[in-house]
Amino acid sequence: MKRLYILCLLSLNIGFIQAQIITQAWATLSSSDLPYAISIDASGNVYTANYGNNTVSKITSDGTAIPEWATLASDANPSGIAVDASGNVYTANINNGTVTKVTSDGTVIQAWATLASNALPYAIATDASGNVYTANDNNTVSKITSEGIVTQAWATLANNALPYAIAIDALGNVYTANYGNNTVSKITSAGIAATAWGLLANNARPYGIALDASGNVYTANFGNNTVSKITSAGIVTQAWATLVRGANPSSIVVDTSGNVYTANYANSTISKITSAGIVVQAWVTLANNTLPYAIALDASGNVYTANENNTISKIVPLSATPITLLSFKGDLKNGIASLAWETGVENNFNHFEIQKSSHDSSSSFLTQGEIPAKGSNSSYVYAVPQSETLAYYRLKIIDDDGGYKYGNTITLYKQVSNAIYPNPAKTYINIKAAKESSLSIYDAGGRFIKTQNVQIGNNVIDVHSLASGVYFIVSDDNQKRAFIKK
């Protein structure tokens, strides 16, 4: 009988209560399976590529397991699995260099595609058109059309890449996580490769890769216990999220809200990182001997892991608070910060706390006041005195049973003389100077960025390389001006 665990995890350091329903052994596979990879079809059926006994298991959406739904060649050793829009299942067989296709009714085509003799595939993915791509240990990416036509070296990576994982965005661009040289490669739909499109830390050792709806790329870095984020423009945040030492994340997924989940092989946990980069280290703790190889999401946001102990775990996330926050805005005039927000559904919701900080740090916010719940589809306003040049505001959202979470943070700042424009800015700012001088640019945390010499009159300052956020320009007579880099 399956054992059902209900876990309530209180995370004081990040400030919200989360609950999730955990079924540790939602499905039990054969004792020799070793499910190295997992994928899910549109109907919620779960499939695993079983390296140990050369099979594919199928688990229906109600948890009924067919451990040997498809039998592969005896020397296949599948290491990757993917499902296309029609429900066809594909495995990357690392030992015999083939791709097996299993139709939705379970018909097996063993060597549907045969790769080059030295192209042993680590991982596999499908695009919206039904094309199949493999990431191979000879540092190539192969492309196979839906008809089975193979382009062996559709893209060639660096000779030390070792692409352990592969993902595809909505435009058909292909990305590989390269364990060997700590990079992410990007290959356009035309097959043009940027082999070191994203440079990771030299001890990252990325095992997994995933994309969000905006085209941001995330890697699970087995070597240094971090998650890296690379924007669609190629801007890298090396340690966007830092996991506990000894986690060794082996796989990664992103849900429709931008939350990131990692399967942490070494400590049998799942970490959750919100879209804002807030980390819940042990969002779920699995049984001690679980050792999750891979992780996947279904269309409802349920999380599944394929585990070394030959089980599949299922986690059903539950809502943290019963409210939908539609907007949160602010305006600063004459020393008063006017805050306004709107809600959608409000069920069992109690009140808001309005919080303010002079620093963008979760530990420095102070409560300015409270507003009780009005009911669904309501508008709220609140005024806070602001003498600071710059301040941060957020809402603490508290439900009837004491559960709470935080809304997004907004920034309000004073405009001073010699205004900067455009503000916010993407690539450059203009600033007028009454004399020749030297300006210093600092980030919101006070870290020095660079010095800029200016002449009398209008000056154009290039800011395209700065990360998004708030910055200060300080003149040599100590006047401070703020601007936002988008």
Side-chain angles (χ1 to χ4, degrees):
M1 178 180 292
K2 297 172 187 171
R3 292 180 293 174
L4 183 68
Y5 298 84
I6 299 181
L7 172 70
C8 288
L9 173 66
L10 177 61
S11 301
L12 294 178
N13 63 319
I14 61 166
F16 61 91
I17 290 177
Q18 287 199 317
Q20 42 272 347
I21 300 172
I22 305 169
T23 311
Q24 296 278 6
W26 177 69
T28 300
L29 310 180
S30 298
S31 60
S32 60
D33 274 0
L34 295 182
Y36 271 17
I38 187 170
S39 191
I40 303 175
D41 68 19
S43 300
N45 298 305
V46 177
Y47 302 86
T48 61
N50 303 325
Y51 181 91
N53 67 359
N54 299 298
T55 62
V56 172
S57 297
K58 177 178 179 178
I59 306 100
T60 63
S61 57
D62 64 0
T64 302
I66 309 170
E68 296 178 1
W69 176 68
T71 299
L72 311 182
S74 60
D75 61 346
N77 297 119
S79 57
I81 193 166
V83 185
D84 68 17
S86 300
N88 300 304
V89 178
Y90 303 86
T91 63
N93 305 324
I94 194 168
N95 195 48
N96 67 5
T98 65
V99 172
T100 298
K101 178 178 179 178
V102 188
T103 64
S104 57
D105 64 1
T107 302
V108 181
I109 307 170
Q110 296 286 359
W112 176 71
T114 299
L115 306 181
S117 59
N118 63 341
L120 303 177
Y122 291 122
I124 193 166
T126 62
D127 68 16
S129 300
N131 299 305
V132 178
Y133 302 82
T134 62
N136 309 320
D137 78 341
N138 69 345
N139 301 306
T140 64
V141 173
S142 297
K143 177 179 179 179
I144 308 135
T145 68
S146 57
E147 293 82 19
I149 299 171
V150 183
T151 304
Q152 298 286 358
W154 176 71
T156 300
L157 310 180
N159 60 14
N160 61 344
L162 295 182
Y164 273 15
I166 189 168
I168 304 173
D169 69 17
L171 300 176
N173 299 304
V174 177
Y175 303 83
T176 62
N178 304 325
Y179 179 89
N181 65 359
N182 299 299
T183 63
V184 171
S185 296
K186 177 179 179 179
I187 306 115
T188 68
S189 57
I192 300 170
T195 57
W197 177 73
L199 296 173
L200 309 182
N202 60 13
N203 62 343
R205 302 300 181 199
Y207 251 56
I209 192 167
L211 292 105
D212 66 19
S214 300
N216 299 305
V217 178
Y218 303 84
T219 62
N221 302 326
F222 191 90
N224 67 359
N225 299 298
T226 64
V227 172
S228 296
K229 178 179 179 179
I230 310 169
T231 68
S232 57
I235 299 171
V236 182
T237 305
Q238 301 278 8
W240 177 70
T242 300
L243 309 182
V244 296
R245 185 176 182 180
N248 298 122
S250 55
S251 186
I252 191 168
V253 289
V254 187
D255 69 18
T256 55
S257 299
N259 299 304
V260 176
Y261 303 85
T262 62
N264 304 324
Y265 175 82
N267 67 3
S268 294
T269 64
I270 298 172
S271 295
K272 177 179 179 178
I273 306 110
T274 69
S275 58
I278 298 171
V279 182
V280 186
Q281 297 285 359
W283 178 68
V284 167
T285 300
L286 304 176
N288 286 337
N289 64 339
T290 299
L291 303 176
Y293 288 130
I295 192 168
L297 284 165
D298 67 17
S300 300
N302 301 311
V303 180
Y304 302 80
T305 61
N307 308 320
E308 188 176 89
N309 69 348
N310 297 305
T311 64
I312 305 298
S313 298
K314 179 178 179 179
I315 303 97
V316 180
L318 303 180
S319 176
T321 53
I323 184 174
T324 303
L325 186 63
L326 299 179
S327 65
F328 180 45
K329 301 177 181 178
D331 184 47
L332 179 61
K333 290 183 179 178
N334 301 320
I336 300 295
S338 300
L339 308 176
W341 62 99
E342 296 179 344
T343 63
V345 175
E346 292 186 21
N347 287 325
N348 303 313
F349 166 63
N350 192 273
H351 69 280
F352 292 102
E353 286 185 9
I354 298 88
Q355 298 189 339
K356 173 186 174 183
S357 174
S358 297
H359 306 282
D360 189 13
S361 167
S362 60
S363 63
S364 63
F365 278 89
L366 298 176
T367 298
Q368 307 297 305
E370 297 182 1
I371 294 184
K374 295 182 180 180
S376 296
N377 304 310
S378 293
S379 297
Y380 297 81
V381 294
Y382 197 85
V384 179
Q386 180 178 325
S387 58
E388 304 94 333
T389 299
L390 178 144
Y392 301 88
Y393 297 89
R394 71 181 184 187
L395 298 173
K396 185 175 181 180
I397 305 164
I398 304 170
D399 63 30
D400 285 337
D401 62 7
Y404 63 91
K405 69 175 181 180
Y406 295 110
N408 62 299
T409 300
I410 62 172
T411 307
L412 298 180
Y413 61 92
K414 291 181 181 179
Q415 291 284 6
V416 296
S417 59
N418 294 332
I420 299 164
Y421 66 94
N423 194 2
K426 280 188 176 182
T427 57
Y428 67 91
I429 56 173
N430 290 278
I431 185 167
K432 289 185 177 180
K435 62 178 182 177
E436 292 183 0
S437 63
S438 178
L439 304 178
S440 298
I441 300 179
Y442 298 85
D443 66 14
R447 183 172 65 91
F448 172 76
I449 303 298
K450 67 176 181 178
T451 297
Q452 178 76 41
N453 294 321
V454 295
Q455 306 297 317
I456 297 173
N458 188 60
N459 294 266
V460 178
I461 300 176
D462 183 3
V463 297
H464 83 277
S465 62
L466 298 181
S468 298
V470 176
Y471 293 85
F472 294 100
I473 294 180
V474 180
S475 63
D476 51 14
D477 58 359
N478 210 34
Q479 289 191 37
K480 183 185 291 186
R481 283 154 285 189
F483 73 93
I484 297 175
K485 168 64 166 58
K486 291 197 293 186

